[in-house]
């Protein structure tokens, strides 16, 4: 009998974790979910995730696949895993997929949001869940700058030094900045993201709000293909993986 | 020199606290804020709050006053207290008020929200911040039932047994139920609330969604003036004090 492939959809608050993948001794999402699976799947299948995520980054939706010879009831898997998982990680879906489906390589687009709490004083409800930036943000200027990210471009200026050498061209399908009460949200959709790309974009948009860069400077920042041309890397707590699109969907 | 009266506006996540007021050995909001004030105000003025809140209940806005002979810079008070307070409590405003202003007796209306996460599976982001109710809620029926709360009425049926005897008449100015994505929110504004009143209202609206009560039954539930006629008391984690109105505002 051939193995079946299953796709799990997770949702997690990343505060307590060093991202998806095991790195030295740090606590990561992947091994925690794999441990929760051990009772249902004693063969301990490995989980293949849709992307690495940085320490402290959140996921409203995160996808990973695994193979198993067992025929399982997806609803039973969801409930069983949720009983075993810590409160900050939840399984929200489980479904069989084709054997050539791959949680990472079948991705056609991903969407991230960078959330900024823009109230003057500390807010207990968004602490660890948004960057606190106390000075009034110039959302229109930030949106005009974000629009320059759209298109098929080389994003070397928005890639942290630790990234592997290689093609830094990505297609950004949409990028916008909007206010929702005291929250300011930068939302960006692309076919792929470089290391720290969204956080460097967010840090650059903050520089635009501060008047240290003009929206019209963004084409030159991109053309520089130099990390030093862009703004600082915004901290992880504001970043959310919010959607993933797959082939044939 | 006569004392000045100051009004503090707080915002807090109530999960770790047994409400505003000290009760036996439980950790409460009031003493934590009073301790944070001790360095700025060595005379340790007492704080008078706008209402008692139950253990685990949250406040987007909570008001309390204190008297001091010192002339203080309100902005300095906010920043100093926020440095000393735990992360789940914040001071968002401080302003001088008239000496006959009273955080509790000058209230003309308060608004609460009861928030329900109505997704099928556990959600890490609303855990402890909303009631998780997994079956699809009938928001229209709940809204029709909530409309029956509006008016000057005897709310004995919506008052927990521990409450002091006395007049149970309150004026409810507005009551509505609406959906916002996976959240269902019951919002109610009144001149005052009885012990557990909003939580019993929320529990009763859940009974309506389940079809165990019809919206048309609500007038009879109110007329019974008997706690047993209403639904159960919904748990505290969904309840938020969201607004308070004062005289001369």
């Amino acid at each position: 009998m051939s193995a079946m492939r299953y796709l799990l959809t997770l949702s997690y608050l990343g505060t307590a974790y060093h991202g998806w993948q095991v790195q030295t001794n740090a606590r990561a999402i992947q091994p925690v979910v794999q441990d929760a699976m051990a009772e249902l799947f004693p063969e301990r299948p490995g989980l293949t995730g849709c992307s690495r995520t940085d320490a402290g980054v959140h996921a409203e939706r995160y996808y990973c696949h695994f193979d198993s010879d067992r025929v399982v009831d997806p609803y039973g898997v969801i409930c069983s895993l949720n009983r075993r998982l810590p409160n900050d990680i939840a399984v929200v879906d489980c479904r069989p997929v084709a054997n050539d489906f791959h949680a990472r390589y079948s991705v056609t687009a991903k969407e991230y949001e960078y959330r900024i709490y823009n109230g003057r004083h500390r807010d207990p409800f968004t602490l660890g869940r948004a960057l606190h930036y106390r000075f009034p943000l110039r959302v229109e200027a930030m949106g005009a700058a974000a629009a320059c990210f759209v298109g098929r471009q080389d994003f070397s200026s928005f890639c942290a030094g630790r990234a592997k050498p290689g093609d830094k061209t990505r297609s950004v399908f949409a990028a916008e900045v909007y206010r929702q009460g005291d929250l300011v949200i930068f939302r960006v959709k692309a076919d792929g993201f470089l290391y720290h790309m969204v956080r460097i974009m967010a840090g650059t948009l903050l520089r635009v709000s501060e008047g240290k860069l003009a929206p019209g400077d963004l084409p030159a920042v991109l053309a520089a293909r130099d990390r030093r041309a862009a703004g600082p890397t915004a901290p992880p707590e504001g970043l959310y993986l919010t959607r993933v699109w797959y082939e044939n969907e």
Side-chain angles (χ1 to χ4, degrees), chain A residues 203-217:
Chain A
T204 304
L205 296 178
L206 290 175
R207 280 278 194 272
V208 170
S209 176
E210 290 160 356
K212 293 173 188 162
L213 271 176
D217 294 335

Side-chain angles (χ1 to χ4, degrees), chain A residues 61-115:
Chain A
R61 290 291 178 269
Y62 186 94
Y63 297 84
C64 54
H65 78 251
F66 67 94
D67 295 324
S68 175
D69 287 333
R70 293 160 196 272
V71 177
V72 297
D73 163 41
Y75 187 74
V77 172
I78 298 171
C79 297
S80 166
L81 292 183
N82 280 335
R83 274 194 301 275
R84 288 170 175 80
L85 283 167
N87 282 335
D88 45 12
I89 305 177
V91 176
V92 297
D93 196 28
C94 174
R95 59 188 173 90
V97 287
N99 281 321
D100 62 351
F101 176 95
H102 192 283
R104 185 167 166 199
Y105 301 128
S106 304
V107 168
T108 54
K110 288 190 283 192
E111 179 189 86
Y112 282 91
E113 287 184 11
Y114 195 89
R115 301 182 188 165

Side-chain angles (χ1 to χ4, degrees), chain A residues 21 52 104 159-168 170 194-195:
Chain A
Q21 203 154 326
R52 294 180 178 223
R104 185 167 166 199
C159 180
R162 278 173 55 189
K164 297 177 199 130
D167 183 26
K168 303 287 199 305
R170 296 291 181 275
L194 303 167
Y195 188 56

